[in-house]
């Protein structure tokens, strides 16, 4: 079963415009679906990264709140050991900054908190912050931990934790986890160290706690530094900004941990002023805060660039799809116009050929398979034109020969009628002579009286016999002319028969060429089928080629229909040529019969000529005897009896010759009718062939 039977049945029932619409829809719909899917994917990616930016926008003011709280906790720590008015002023000033940071964070939360599923969290922290006692550092620590956890929650709900790119992932990890953790440990070391330096004493447990916090600080700082290195490796363009911050981070860490080891962990006595230690630690915290905001800014920039890239890709894809569709539509329309014009051109040319115009020569409109059909069509037209040209020449010759034959036969009929009338007169004269001879034989007593009359009558008979002899000679000459004309007619008919056989052979050659064209169409059909199979193997990449192969297959089918039509017309022409050949054969038979009849008439006229010559001689003898009749009546009587016998025989021969001439005239009329029919058929054939323009 043909795998493409269903598609073939569908396509072959549609006109080309609907075929192209169906194929265009089959191409356009997948393109639209692919574009829609790509747009959906791009939209998801853009939404994913846009949500990341929302998280970054939310974290930025939240980190400021946490940093300010860490500062207030440290100041409260110092203020709790000695009531310094300047520290109190710093606390009040810092609380005002915390309030401002909360207000900025509220504006962001009101806008983005619902999207991040943290709506109300900042306001809860603000309420708890307002209720904190100035001496309750643990409550600050719990609020700071809540803020750090809120940052982690925002990172989770805003997709930051799921960022796919390594450079932005390490930046995200720094701002969500590492820097807040390290900064909190640094703030705790600052607060505890300031407390120990203020009281000038530190227990072993406190030393161990401080050592543990310092180790965690060093570990987290190294982790931050390594994360920055990873970011730079993945995105060297960020090295200018991040490398300096990384180096400064390590320098500040080494400076601060060295200070802690020297003045706190390894010091025999705690002599460093607490305010100086607090300022150094605060500067380190401020450096971490700057690093935090730098990484947060870079992270936001990377995400923004990614969003812009996705949007640009989506726009470029849409433009490419649109341009591709326009180009495809343009080529598709051009292909349709090319096929339509090629088929219309071939169709118009074949219609002109079918109407008899063989002057045109088809020029290939395209260089594809449709254009390849033009060459065999031109070959068929050339062969057909040669055949028609030969047929026209043959028809003209046959027509001319038929006209000459008709004229010759007409003249022969006229001559035969003349001869017939003369023979009738001759028969009448000989009959009269016979009667007179009988009367002369029975009335010998009146011979003397009518001797002169007999002499005159004998002279008349002699004249008439001579005249009859001359008419017989002319009849024989006319018969010879008719015989020659019939031979010419026979040669013309034989030539016409040979031309008919030539036309038949030419028609068979044309039919062979048509069969070759049909074979070419079949091979084209097979080639199109193989191309369709190869296109099917090619999958999606061969779909367009499968459409072209299908169109080629349909064009091959149409070529087969055209060759079938040409074959039918050639068959009709061949039938007419065969009929003409049969008619020529029949005419040849009739001409042969006419030749035989003329030969018979010629033999008869030869006999008549001999009889007439004999009659002339006998009449001459009668005349001589009549001149001598007065000398011997016995001789006259004998001569009269002899004349009577001769007259009787002459009458019989004359009657026979007259009947033969009459029969020959009938045959010549029949031959004339056959010649007229041949001329008529030749004119019909000539008229049919004149339909073709050479």
């Amino acid at each position: 079963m043909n795998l493409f039977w269903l598609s073939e049945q569908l396509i072959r029932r549609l006109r080309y415009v609907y075929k192209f619409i169906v194929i265009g829809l089959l191409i356009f719909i997948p393109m639209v679906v692919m574009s829609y899917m790509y747009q959906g994917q791009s939209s998801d990616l853009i939404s994913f990264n846009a949500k990341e930016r929302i998280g970054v926008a939310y974290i930025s003011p939240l980190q400021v709140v946490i940093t300010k709280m860490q500062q207030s906790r440290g100041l409260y720590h110092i203020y709790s050991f000695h009531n310094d008015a300047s520290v109190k002023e710093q606390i009040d000033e810092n609380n005002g900054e915390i309030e401002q940071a909360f207000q900025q964070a509220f504006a962001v939360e009101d806008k983005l908190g619902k999207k991040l599923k943290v709506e109300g969290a900042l306001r809860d922290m603000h309420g708890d912050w307002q209720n904190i006692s100035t001496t309750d550092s643990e409550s600050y620590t719990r609020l700071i931990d809540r803020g750090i956890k809120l940052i982690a929650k925002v990172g989770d709900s805003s997709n930051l934790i799921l960022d796919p790119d390594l450079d932005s992932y390490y930046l995200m990890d720094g701002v969500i986890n590492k820097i807040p953790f390290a900064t909190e440990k640094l703030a705790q070391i600052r607060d505890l160290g300031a407390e120990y330096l203020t009281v000038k004493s530190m227990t072993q447990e406190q030393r161990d706690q401080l050592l543990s916090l310092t180790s965690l600080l060093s570990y987290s700082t190294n982790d931050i530094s390594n994360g920055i290195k990873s970011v730079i490796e993945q995105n060297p363009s960020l090295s200018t900004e991040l490398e300096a911050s990384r180096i400064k981070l390590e320098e500040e860490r080494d400076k601060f941990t060295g200070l802690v080891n020297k003045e706190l962990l390894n010091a025999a006595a705690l002599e460093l002023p607490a305010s100086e230690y607090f300022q150094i630690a605060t500067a380190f915290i401020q450096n971490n805060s700057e690093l935090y905001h730098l990484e947060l800014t870079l992270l936001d920039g990377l995400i923004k660039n990614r969003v812009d890239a996705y949007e640009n890709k989506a726009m470029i894809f849409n433009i490419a799809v649109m341009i591709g569709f326009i180009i495809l539509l343009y080529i598709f329309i051009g292909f349709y116009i090319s096929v339509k014009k090629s088929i219309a051109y071939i169709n118009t040319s074949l219609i002109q050929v079918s109407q008899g115009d063989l002057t045109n020569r088809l020029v290939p409109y395209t260089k594809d398979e449709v254009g390849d059909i033009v060459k065999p069509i031109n070959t068929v037209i050339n062969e057909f034109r040669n055949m028609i040209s030969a047929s026209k020449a043959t028809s003209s010759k046959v027509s001319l020969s038929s006209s000459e034959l008709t004229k010759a036969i007409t003249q022969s009929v006229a001559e035969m009628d003349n001869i017939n009338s003369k023979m009738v007169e001759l028969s009448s004269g000989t009959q009269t002579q016979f009667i007179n001879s009988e009367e002369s034989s029975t009335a010998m007593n009146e011979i003397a009286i009518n001797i002169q009359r007999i002499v005159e009558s004998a002279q008349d008979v002699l004249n008439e016999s001579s005249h009859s002899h001359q008419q017989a000679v002319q009849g024989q000459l006319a018969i010879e002319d008719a015989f020659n004309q019939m031979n010419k007619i026979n040669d013309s008919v034989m030539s016409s028969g040979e031309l008919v056989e030539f036309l038949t052979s030419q028609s068979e050659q044309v039919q062979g060429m048509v069969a070759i064209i049909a074979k070419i169409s079949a091979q084209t059909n097979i080639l199109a089928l193989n191309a369709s199979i190869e296109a099917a193997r090619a999958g999606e990449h061969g779909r367009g080629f499968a459409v072209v192969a299908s169109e080629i297959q349909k064009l091959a089918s149409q070529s087969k229909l055209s060759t079938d039509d040409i074959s039918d017309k050639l068959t009709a022409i061949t039938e007419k040529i065969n009929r003409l050949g049969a008619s020529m054969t029949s005419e040849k038979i009739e001409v042969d019969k006419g030749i035989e009849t003329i030969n018979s008439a010629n033999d008869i006229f030869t006999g008549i000529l001999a009889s007439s010559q004999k009659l002339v001689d006998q009449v001459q003898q009668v005349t001589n005897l009549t001149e001598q009749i007065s000398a011997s009546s016995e001789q006259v009587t004998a001569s009269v009896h002899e004349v009577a016998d001769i007259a009787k025989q002459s009458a019989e021969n004359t009657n026979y010759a007259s009947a033969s001439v009459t029969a020959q005239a009938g045959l010549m009329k029949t031959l004339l009718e056959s010649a007229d029919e041949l001329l008529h058929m030749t004119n019909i054939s000539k008229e049919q062939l004149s339909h073709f323009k050479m």
Side-chain angles (χ1 to χ4, degrees):
M1 181 178 180
N2 187 3
L3 181 62
F4 301 97
W5 180 84
L6 183 60
S7 61
E8 180 185 357
Q9 295 300 319
L10 175 62
I11 293 299
R12 68 187 298 183
R13 284 171 170 78
L14 299 176
R15 296 184 65 83
Y16 267 100
V17 62
Y18 298 112
K19 292 177 183 178
F20 279 93
I21 290 174
V22 171
I23 297 172
L25 289 176
L26 292 177
I27 296 175
F28 177 71
I29 291 175
M31 290 179 63
V32 172
V33 172
M34 291 174 60
S35 178
Y36 176 77
M37 293 175 64
Y38 182 81
Q39 290 295 330
Q41 184 180 8
S42 299
S43 178
D44 292 340
L45 291 173
I46 292 172
S47 299
F48 182 90
N49 288 274
K51 198 169 185 180
E52 285 186 311
R53 292 197 69 195
I54 292 173
V56 171
Y58 190 93
I59 289 172
S60 182
L62 179 58
Q63 193 272 339
V64 175
V65 171
I66 293 173
T67 302
K68 294 299 181 182
M69 283 187 176
Q70 289 170 341
Q71 183 70 11
S72 292
R73 183 181 61 186
L75 291 173
Y76 275 123
H77 224 73
I78 295 174
Y79 185 73
S80 64
F81 290 98
H82 52 83
N83 295 325
D84 189 347
S86 61
V87 175
K88 180 65 168 125
E89 290 178 359
Q90 292 179 11
I91 290 173
D92 293 338
E93 182 180 356
N94 194 70
N95 286 337
E97 292 176 355
I98 291 174
E99 182 64 30
Q100 291 178 359
F102 265 119
Q103 295 303 321
Q104 293 175 357
F106 288 158
V108 175
E109 185 183 51
D110 292 340
K111 187 176 180 180
L112 306 175
K114 190 173 182 180
K115 295 181 180 179
L116 297 173
K117 300 178 182 179
V118 293
E119 189 176 14
L122 272 176
R123 296 191 182 276
D124 293 340
M125 286 180 61
H126 181 260
D128 293 341
W129 172 72
Q130 288 180 332
N131 296 326
I132 291 177
S133 173
T134 56
T135 59
D136 189 2
S137 61
E138 293 296 330
S139 297
Y140 269 101
T141 300
R142 286 193 295 271
L143 279 176
I144 291 170
D145 288 340
R146 285 171 60 185
I148 293 173
K149 290 179 180 178
L150 183 58
I151 289 175
K153 185 176 181 180
V154 169
D156 185 38
S157 61
S158 63
N159 299 328
L160 282 170
I161 199 69
L162 302 174
D163 195 277
D165 296 338
L166 288 177
D167 52 355
S168 55
Y169 175 78
Y170 283 114
L171 289 175
M172 177 278 303
D173 190 40
V175 298
I176 297 296
N177 300 314
K178 295 177 180 179
I179 296 178
F181 177 81
T183 303
E184 175 60 15
K185 297 307 173 185
L186 175 59
Q188 291 178 6
I189 293 172
R190 180 194 64 178
D191 296 343
L192 292 176
E195 177 184 347
Y196 301 153
L197 291 173
T198 299
V199 299
K200 303 297 183 179
S201 65
M202 182 174 53
T203 63
Q204 185 62 40
E205 183 180 355
Q206 291 173 339
R207 189 184 299 276
D208 293 339
Q209 182 183 7
L210 190 61
L211 179 61
S212 176
L213 291 172
T214 303
S215 299
L216 290 174
L217 176 63
S218 297
Y219 174 79
S220 60
T221 305
N222 287 331
D223 212 9
I224 294 171
S225 179
N226 292 331
I228 293 174
K229 290 179 181 179
S230 299
V231 172
I232 294 173
E233 289 178 0
Q234 297 297 324
N235 195 345
S237 63
L238 302 178
S239 61
T240 303
E241 298 175 280
L242 286 176
E243 183 64 20
S245 298
R246 185 188 69 80
I247 294 173
K248 186 176 181 181
L249 172 66
E250 292 181 351
E251 289 176 351
E252 291 290 335
R253 179 200 63 194
D254 294 340
K255 178 181 178 181
F256 182 72
T257 55
L259 179 64
V260 171
N261 288 327
K262 179 181 179 181
E263 299 297 336
L264 288 171
L265 297 177
N266 299 322
L270 303 180
E271 297 178 352
L272 182 67
S275 59
E276 182 181 351
Y277 173 79
F278 189 85
Q279 289 177 355
I280 293 173
T282 301
F284 190 16
I285 292 173
Q286 186 63 34
N287 179 71
N288 282 5
S289 179
E290 291 174 357
L291 177 61
Y292 185 91
H293 283 285
L294 174 62
E295 290 196 5
L296 197 64
T297 301
L298 293 176
L299 177 61
D300 184 64
L302 289 176
I303 296 173
K304 183 179 181 301
N305 292 336
R306 195 184 303 156
V307 171
D308 293 340
Y310 288 143
E311 291 177 347
N312 291 334
K313 286 181 180 179
M315 182 178 66
I316 292 172
F317 179 80
N318 289 334
I319 294 174
V321 169
M322 186 61 66
I323 293 175
F325 177 73
I326 292 174
I327 293 174
L328 181 63
L329 182 62
Y330 180 78
I331 295 175
F332 215 72
I333 293 174
F335 176 61
Y336 169 72
I337 293 174
S338 175
V339 172
K340 185 176 180 181
K341 286 186 176 181
S342 297
I343 295 175
Y345 174 69
I346 294 174
N347 187 39
T348 302
S349 300
L350 291 178
I351 289 174
Q352 292 176 353
V353 170
S354 67
Q355 292 174 350
D357 187 3
L358 302 178
T359 59
N360 291 332
R361 179 176 177 84
L362 276 69
V363 178
Y365 185 80
T366 59
K367 296 182 179 180
D368 53 11
E369 287 77 2
V370 178
D372 294 340
I373 300 175
V374 172
K375 185 176 181 180
I377 291 177
N378 284 332
T379 303
V380 172
I381 292 175
N382 288 335
E383 294 297 330
F384 198 59
R385 182 165 49 204
N386 294 334
M387 182 187 69
I388 296 301
S389 178
S391 298
K392 278 188 174 182
T394 302
S395 178
S396 298
K397 291 180 180 180
V398 172
S399 178
L400 181 61
S401 299
S402 299
S403 298
E404 293 178 354
L405 176 62
T406 302
K407 292 179 181 178
I409 293 174
T410 302
Q411 293 176 358
S412 298
V413 170
E415 291 294 332
M416 294 298 290
D417 289 338
N418 189 17
I419 292 172
N420 189 31
S421 62
K422 294 298 183 179
M423 292 300 294
V424 170
E425 293 177 359
L426 178 60
S427 177
S428 177
T430 53
Q431 187 67 30
T432 303
Q433 183 182 5
F434 173 72
I435 295 171
N436 289 331
S437 297
E438 288 292 331
E439 291 177 352
S440 296
S441 178
T442 57
M444 286 300 295
N445 294 326
E446 298 177 359
I447 290 175
I449 299 172
N450 295 323
I451 190 64
Q452 190 61 39
R453 186 182 299 168
I454 293 172
V455 172
E456 294 175 357
S457 298
Q459 189 63 41
D460 292 336
V461 170
L462 178 61
N463 293 334
E464 288 296 328
S465 297
S466 299
H467 182 69
S468 298
H469 179 69
Q470 292 176 359
Q471 291 294 328
V473 171
Q474 292 178 358
Q476 187 178 24
L477 294 176
I479 290 297
E480 290 178 355
D481 291 336
F483 180 77
N484 293 330
Q485 290 296 327
M486 289 302 294
N487 286 330
K488 290 181 180 180
I489 292 170
N490 187 34
D491 294 338
S492 177
V493 170
M494 291 180 66
S495 176
S496 299
E498 292 176 356
L499 290 174
V500 169
E501 291 179 356
F502 176 76
L503 288 177
T504 303
S505 64
Q506 290 293 318
S507 177
E508 291 176 352
Q509 292 179 6
V510 172
Q511 287 181 342
M513 294 176 184
V514 171
I516 292 172
I517 295 173
K519 184 176 180 182
I520 292 173
S521 299
Q523 291 176 351
T524 304
N525 193 11
I526 294 172
L527 179 61
L529 180 59
N530 292 333
S532 300
I533 294 172
E534 293 300 326
R537 290 179 179 174
E540 293 293 328
H541 299 287
R543 183 175 295 176
F545 185 63
V547 175
V548 175
S550 178
E551 295 300 320
I552 293 173
Q553 190 173 15
K554 289 180 287 196
L555 290 176
S557 299
Q558 292 181 352
S559 299
K560 185 177 183 304
L561 293 176
S562 299
T563 54
D564 291 340
D565 186 33
I566 293 173
S567 178
D568 293 338
K569 291 181 179 178
L570 286 174
T571 301
I573 293 174
T574 302
E575 290 178 356
K576 291 182 179 180
I577 292 173
N578 291 333
R579 289 171 56 190
L580 180 60
S583 177
M584 289 292 183
T585 302
S586 177
E587 294 301 325
K588 186 176 182 303
I589 294 172
E590 293 296 329
V591 169
D592 291 337
K593 290 181 179 180
I595 291 174
E596 292 177 359
T597 304
I598 290 175
N599 286 329
S600 299
N602 187 35
D603 295 335
I604 294 171
F605 268 95
T606 301
I608 294 173
L609 184 61
S611 299
S612 298
Q613 183 63 44
K614 186 175 181 180
L615 178 61
V616 170
D617 295 337
Q618 291 176 351
V619 171
Q620 183 64 42
Q621 292 177 5
V622 170
T623 303
N624 293 330
L625 291 173
T626 305
E627 290 176 352
Q628 297 174 6
I629 196 169
S630 58
S632 179
S633 59
E634 292 181 358
Q635 293 179 356
V636 171
T637 303
S639 296
V640 169
H641 283 290
E642 185 178 357
V643 168
D645 293 336
I646 293 172
K648 183 178 180 181
Q649 184 178 3
S650 179
E652 293 176 353
N653 291 333
T654 303
N655 290 331
Y656 178 75
S658 177
S660 298
V661 170
T662 302
Q664 183 63 36
L667 291 175
M668 293 300 291
K669 289 181 180 179
T670 302
L671 182 60
L672 178 61
E673 292 176 357
S674 298
D676 289 336
E677 184 178 359
L678 176 61
L679 180 61
H680 178 67
M681 293 179 64
T682 304
N683 291 332
I684 292 175
S685 176
K686 188 175 181 181
E687 182 180 357
Q688 291 176 345
L689 293 175
S690 65
H691 177 68
F692 296 96
K693 298 178 181 178
M694 306 301 292

